[in-house]
Amino acid sequence: MKAENVVLAIAVALVIYVAWRVVHPFVTPVFFGFILGYAFYPLHRKLRGKLGNRESALLISVSVLVLGFLLTFELVMISVQVFASFYHNLIHLFSWLMTLPLPSDVLHFLQNFREQVIPKVADYISRGAFSMPWYLLQLFVFFFTFYYSLAYGDEISTQIRSLLPERNRELGEEILRSVNKTLSALVRAWLLLNVAKSIMMTLGFIVFRVSTLYTAVVAGFLTFVFSFVPLFEGWMIWLAAAIYFAVKGAYLHSIGIALYGFTLVSPMPDYTIRPMLVARDAELDETLVFIGMIGGTWAMGLKGLIIGPIILNLLLVLLKEWKRLTKSSPRLSSYP
């Protein structure tokens, strides 16, 4: 009997390990698919009364999917032009430097530096181009999860509650309420901050004369949209503008838009303004939210920005439950 249990345990562990290896590459798009589904669920709940459950989920998912593909294609075309121009200008820059009457040591240093930098830049650009199919696959998984979370949101909620043990059901309900409250605060802060960042990006394009008013508004809109897509953020917009100025030789404008974007668009507001908004809505301490965001991002990447504060809030719930148990049990309260 013991041998059978050992074999069964090994088989279960092996299946879990293989399953994890299978789903591990798609953890991030699946996670953000559910998060976006959570954010759009109030809209889906209003539409499904008129269109039907699956029809409403399909309409929202297809709309977001088409918009995502169009924006991705547009960004790819812009990025290819910008990086190709940057690469050719970099070659011209080194060629011009080599024609200057500089000391032989300096020319030798520039020659070695060019031989190391230019191949690395070319390799980075080529790897970025070849990684697009993989990104599109992740985008497909992301939006498929998004549809699933909308269409089967009620069933998912019911299944989660059915897993709560009867013995500690009150604690389980408290944990679910805590998660829902923190996640709602994170989503609201996400939306409000993204709107503010899009406005700041539009103003930045106008102030630094990056483009016309129409393009500035488009840049602000892209900043808002890309903030919801994994691996994309508002920093990609101001970085493209900074590279554009650098290629044109306007280095002061390049540094200015980079500092402006870093401070007022992304990533600085994500770790300053966002914790204050989340702390206010979730009734948490700002320092706790800030530590959760920083530590979560450090440990788990972009998804840790959301998971970190939720985990720390759950820790507070468990500590409160432990405190309650120690007060109600003389045996537990006797321990230091």
Side-chain angles (χ1 to χ4, degrees), residues 50 59 68 126 152 230 233 246 273 282 301 326:
K50 301 177 180 179
L59 175 63
S126 63
Y152 301 96
E233 258 291 353
I273 300 176
T326 54

Side-chain angles (χ1 to χ4, degrees), residues 141-211:
V141 174
F142 168 73
F143 286 111
F144 178 78
T145 308
F146 173 57
Y147 166 78
Y148 182 87
S149 63
L150 289 177
Y152 301 96
D154 293 338
E155 289 82 352
I156 294 173
S157 177
T158 302
Q159 289 297 324
I160 292 175
R161 293 185 180 277
S162 67
L163 296 175
L164 297 178
E166 292 296 333
R167 183 177 180 183
N168 296 314
R169 192 169 188 83
E170 183 178 351
L171 175 60
E173 293 286 350
E174 178 64 24
I175 290 175
L176 290 180
R177 283 193 295 269
S178 175
V179 171
N180 182 62
K181 187 176 183 179
T182 307
L183 189 56
S184 298
L186 286 165
V187 170
R188 283 194 297 269
W190 201 6
L191 291 172
L192 291 174
L193 189 60
N194 289 348
V195 171
K197 290 194 297 185
S198 66
I199 295 174
M200 297 306 297
M201 193 74 269
T202 300
L203 293 177
F205 268 56
I206 296 174
V207 170
F208 289 94
R209 299 179 181 179
V210 179
S211 59

